[in-house]
Amino acid sequence: ASMARPSGQNTMKPITISMSEHLFFLSDQLEFFGGFEQGFAVPDVGAVTRRAGIDDPFGTGEIDITDVVPQTQVVNNYEIGFRGDWDDFRGSITGFASTSDEGTNFDTSTGRVEQQKELIYGAEATGSYDVLDDLRGRSGTLRSGRRRDSDGNGSLDSWLPNNRVGPPFRLTGYADYTTPFDLRLLFETVYWSSRDKDDGVQKVKLDSAVLFNLAGSYPVLGGEASVGVDNLFDTSYDNPTATSVRNAPVRGYGRTVRLGYSITF
């Protein structure tokens, strides 16, 4: 299952079976919170069956059924942090950790799904500020780490492989402005760091990149018309999620223009 915030790197879909969050108001503007969530999922057995006869290291073109009967993965998610609202400024700081005794990784050298003890941990900070009545700025940063027990001795001795996780550091920022004639403009920048950990399996380095996006929307005929330009400066980069999942370089989209119209009734 995708554990905690570095999600989207794993193909399994967790099912939450319990959750609780407790709030403690330290003042009218500041609160402390903590939460626990537990879920379970069946690993992606298709990672093995899709490669039958292709990535078979023994050249038999066959799959042993015992290689595709993994244990159900149980994931425990923990979260703790502070969030506050001081008139024009709002922010939060959150620490998180996810643990599993049956973490799953597909080993391309053996063509098998391996299940090992693993830990994902990190911290996230967000902040937004109302510069003017119609202008708001926001930023967020995420820092995370991922470890696993590669030899089954109970010690988290190795990094999770790149085909499970993306870059460990991500920074976003945007400015949101609404004009006096109801045109809304959004400018966004996204940065992610590189990752080149020795994870013990086939490895593809994830390069860092910075992308800029621009979007606008305007009320039209009872709905909203919108236009957006992703990767505004047509930056050449490798998609970090697709590259890490496939363990091979996958180019990201160049400049992309989006047009849309939505109406609620």
Side-chain angles (χ1 to χ4, degrees), residues 84-213:
D85 188 337
W86 297 270
D87 297 326
D88 292 335
F89 176 77
R90 291 159 296 281
S92 66
I93 299 176
T94 308
F96 61 87
S98 295
T99 63
S100 176
D101 291 333
E102 304 89 9
T104 59
N105 296 286
F106 180 75
D107 191 331
T108 56
S109 64
T110 63
R112 298 178 179 177
V113 173
E114 296 182 346
Q115 294 196 262
Q116 302 154 335
K117 179 180 179 181
E118 65 184 37
L119 166 68
I120 293 176
Y121 57 91
E124 180 181 46
T126 65
S128 66
Y129 182 73
D130 296 334
V131 182
L132 300 171
D133 289 342
D134 299 316
L135 176 62
R136 173 180 296 180
R138 180 180 174 87
S139 65
T141 180
L142 172 68
R143 178 76 182 185
S144 60
R146 295 91 161 182
R147 302 285 289 176
R148 63 169 174 162
D149 176 13
S150 63
D151 54 15
N153 67 354
S155 174
L156 299 171
D157 53 23
S158 299
W159 298 101
L160 281 174
N162 280 358
N163 60 8
R164 272 290 312 283
V165 296
F169 180 73
R170 183 180 178 92
L171 178 65
T172 61
Y174 74 75
D176 187 348
Y177 177 62
T178 303
T179 69
F181 49 90
D182 295 330
L183 173 64
R184 184 183 180 188
L185 299 173
L186 176 67
F187 180 74
E188 179 187 50
T189 180
V190 181
Y191 165 81
W192 60 83
S193 65
S194 62
R195 187 177 196 263
D196 192 22
K197 295 294 186 182
D198 184 2
D199 52 32
V201 299
Q202 181 183 351
K203 175 179 64 173
V204 173
K205 179 182 178 181
L206 304 177
D207 292 325
S208 62
V210 180
L211 300 182
F212 298 91
N213 307 312

Side-chain angles (χ1 to χ4, degrees), residues 38-117:
Q38 185 179 79
F40 69 95
V42 176
D44 180 18
V45 296
V48 179
T49 58
R50 287 192 299 270
R51 292 168 172 81
I54 299 176
D55 291 339
D56 179 10
F58 308 107
T60 63
E62 299 177 353
I63 296 176
D64 189 331
I65 192 62
T66 60
D67 293 334
V68 289
V69 187
Q71 296 293 317
T72 299
Q73 182 181 2
V74 177
V75 181
N76 296 312
N77 295 322
Y78 307 89
E79 183 178 60
I80 191 171
F82 297 89
R83 52 179 169 242
D85 188 337
W86 297 270
D87 297 326
D88 292 335
F89 176 77
R90 291 159 296 281
S92 66
I93 299 176
T94 308
F96 61 87
S98 295
T99 63
S100 176
D101 291 333
E102 304 89 9
T104 59
N105 296 286
F106 180 75
D107 191 331
T108 56
S109 64
T110 63
R112 298 178 179 177
V113 173
E114 296 182 346
Q115 294 196 262
Q116 302 154 335
K117 179 180 179 181

